[in-house]
Amino acid sequence: MDSGKKSRTRWGYLAASIIIFIIELIIALYVHDRIIRPYIGDMLVVVLVYCFVRVFVPGGVKRLPLYVFFFAVFVEVMQYFRLAEILGLQGNAVARIILGSVFDWKDIACYGAGCLLIQYLKF
């Protein structure tokens, strides 16, 4: 891939990351339902991580969706072990949002669905 195309690709992934981040913020702040926030939000977070990584790795990594899934599962498992509390961050709202505070198998399923979406759409 030539450097001009890589640069355009990076900007595209950066724009996608920013847009998805804003959507995630809107969901977190204003959507309090039983479908969008818990399920769509979890699917979008892996797409956000994927797009953010692609800003720095525009050439693509064939198994990147799988690696993003493993990362999301790792973060979810750390919620099971209450990582925020271990680090003394339970009172920090931003840390609780990033690290999470409640382990849920449904979250892992949503991460998997998001990664399958990435693979299907061939971002």
Side-chain angles (χ1 to χ4, degrees), residues 109-120:
C110 289
Y111 302 148
C115 289
L116 288 173
L117 178 68
I118 290 167
Q119 191 66 37
Y120 176 74

Side-chain angles (χ1 to χ4, degrees), residues 32-52:
H32 304 287
D33 68 346
R34 294 182 180 188
I35 296 174
I36 304 282
R37 185 172 182 153
Y39 301 113
I40 304 301
D42 284 346
M43 285 178 62
L44 280 178
V45 79
V46 293
V47 177
L48 171 63
V49 170
Y50 177 84
C51 288
F52 185 72

Side-chain angles (χ1 to χ4, degrees), residues 73-123:
V73 170
F74 173 76
V75 171
E76 191 71 23
V77 169
M78 290 298 99
Q79 292 174 22
Y80 176 80
F81 293 109
R82 303 187 183 277
L83 180 63
E85 289 178 26
I86 292 169
L87 297 174
L89 299 172
Q90 65 272 16
N92 185 319
V94 174
R96 287 184 50 135
I97 289 170
I98 293 171
L99 297 174
S101 56
V102 178
F103 175 84
D104 191 344
W105 286 104
K106 288 181 265 179
D107 291 350
I108 293 173
C110 289
Y111 302 148
C115 289
L116 288 173
L117 178 68
I118 290 167
Q119 191 66 37
Y120 176 74
L121 295 177
K122 299 192 189 299
F123 275 92

Side-chain angles (χ1 to χ4, degrees), residues 18 22 25 47 55 61 81 95 112 114 117:
I18 292 168
I22 291 169
L25 275 177
V47 177
V55 170
V61 176
F81 293 109
L117 178 68

